[in-house]
Amino acid sequence: MRRAAVFLALLLCLLWTGAQGEDGRGTGKKEGEFDIQGAHDQSSSQTQMRTDILAELKELRDIAIEHRIIIQRLEQDNTATQVRLTASESKNDVLENRMSSSEKEGEELKRENAALEARMSSRENEVEEVKRVNADLLARVTASENKSRVFEARMSSSEKEVQELQRQNADRPQVAFSAGLTDSGAVGPFTTDTTLKYIKVFTNIGQAYSPTTGIFTAPVRGVYYFRFNIWETHSAYTGVELFHNYKRKIKIHGYNDGTGYITTSNAVVLQLEKGDVVYILLPANVSVYDDSYNRIIFSGFYSFLSEAHCKTPTTLRFNITY
């Protein structure tokens, strides 16, 4: 609109300037003179000029109207654009606020994730420690189970051995005896070898020993233990012999020089068959002494059943002289 108004003003000025120039130069007449032909030509020229100017003005008006319509549309578009811009700015503000909030939430989430990672790392360390402890416990449990199996095997073996021993003990004969010689004092000397009769019986389980004869008779085959001793205070020489089936196995003796008494003891383990006999023999011309103090004892018991025969009996001998 402003451009059209400026253009119209310039056009009017040009027309007015042209008209003034023609009035001064076209007739060549002095001022005050009147030229009818010139006036008619000038009037026709002005009429044509007005017509042209009107046409130009109409065209300019149409252009101005068109421009106004365009400007109105542009203003409407501008208004719509401003509305959209305002809405967009509002949205941007909202988005910025949400972005700021999201950034804060993101920072908070980062901190929480860092804390969770730290806790997770700690939990992983704890898990590894628990795994190590569990592995150690599993190894200890395995070792304990192995020991338990060994102990169970040994216990089973021991139970079997105990059962076997119980069975053997159940089958094993109960044989044991112990007897003193006499309460009357000196026994001997005799002119011949004499079997000693230990008449003071303390124990005689199985009744294998006979105080009447002084002989022990093996009721079953097996290994037997025997112990015997001598004691003398009056005679210078003393001694006894242990016989197995009429065969001398051991002899003990001693000499008293008159300054006190003499005592000697011995023991033997023999492999006996059922019915074998064992007894103590007092040689001729020697004596022993016993009284109520039970100074002389003959004892023995069944030990165990053995498949092997002992070729040489084991003997223990103690000689004590006072």
Side-chain angles (χ1 to χ4, degrees), residues 225-228 250 252 265-269 313-319:
Y225 171 85
F226 297 96
R227 185 182 182 279
F228 61 102
I250 302 172
I252 58 175
S265 64
N266 209 341
V268 64
V269 175
T314 302
T315 62
L316 301 173
R317 181 167 184 171
F318 305 93
N319 292 325

Side-chain angles (χ1 to χ4, degrees), residues 221-223 270-273 304-311:
R221 180 176 180 271
V223 177
L270 297 176
Q271 172 75 37
L272 303 181
E273 297 294 335
F304 60 91
L305 178 64
S306 175
E307 297 297 331
H309 290 273
C310 298
K311 295 182 179 180

Side-chain angles (χ1 to χ4, degrees), residues 19-77:
Q20 291 295 325
E22 289 179 358
D23 289 340
R25 293 188 305 267
T27 61
K29 294 184 176 185
K30 294 180 182 180
E31 184 178 357
E33 294 181 351
F34 182 77
D35 187 356
I36 296 175
Q37 182 67 37
H40 183 267
D41 294 336
Q42 185 178 0
S43 176
S44 298
S45 176
Q46 288 178 354
T47 300
Q48 182 66 35
M49 185 178 295
R50 287 192 187 97
T51 302
D52 294 336
I53 290 172
L54 290 174
E56 291 291 336
L57 288 174
K58 184 178 181 181
E59 184 178 357
L60 289 173
R61 186 192 63 183
D62 294 338
I63 293 172
I65 293 172
E66 183 179 358
H67 285 175
R68 181 179 294 178
I69 294 172
I70 293 173
I71 289 171
Q72 289 177 353
R73 290 178 180 176
L74 291 173
E75 288 177 351
Q76 292 175 356
D77 293 339

Side-chain angles (χ1 to χ4, degrees), residues 118-137:
R119 292 173 60 185
M120 185 63 69
S121 178
S122 176
R123 290 293 178 85
E124 288 177 353
N125 293 334
E126 292 178 359
V127 169
E128 292 297 327
E129 181 65 18
V130 170
K131 287 181 179 180
R132 186 189 63 80
V133 172
N134 287 339
D136 182 61
L137 290 175

Side-chain angles (χ1 to χ4, degrees), residues 117-188:
E117 288 178 357
R119 292 173 60 185
M120 185 63 69
S121 178
S122 176
R123 290 293 178 85
E124 288 177 353
N125 293 334
E126 292 178 359
V127 169
E128 292 297 327
E129 181 65 18
V130 170
K131 287 181 179 180
R132 186 189 63 80
V133 172
N134 287 339
D136 182 61
L137 290 175
L138 181 60
R140 293 172 61 185
V141 168
T142 302
S144 178
E145 289 177 349
N146 293 334
K147 288 183 180 179
S148 297
R149 284 193 290 270
V150 173
F151 288 151
E152 288 176 358
R154 294 176 61 185
M155 181 67 70
S156 177
S157 178
S158 298
E159 290 176 351
K160 291 180 180 179
E161 291 179 359
V162 169
Q163 292 175 355
E164 181 64 21
L165 290 175
Q166 290 176 348
R167 185 188 62 79
Q168 291 180 2
N169 288 333
D171 297 338
R172 175 180 174 180
Q174 303 295 318
V175 179
F177 77 96
S178 183
L181 183 60
T182 183
D183 288 337
S184 59
V187 178

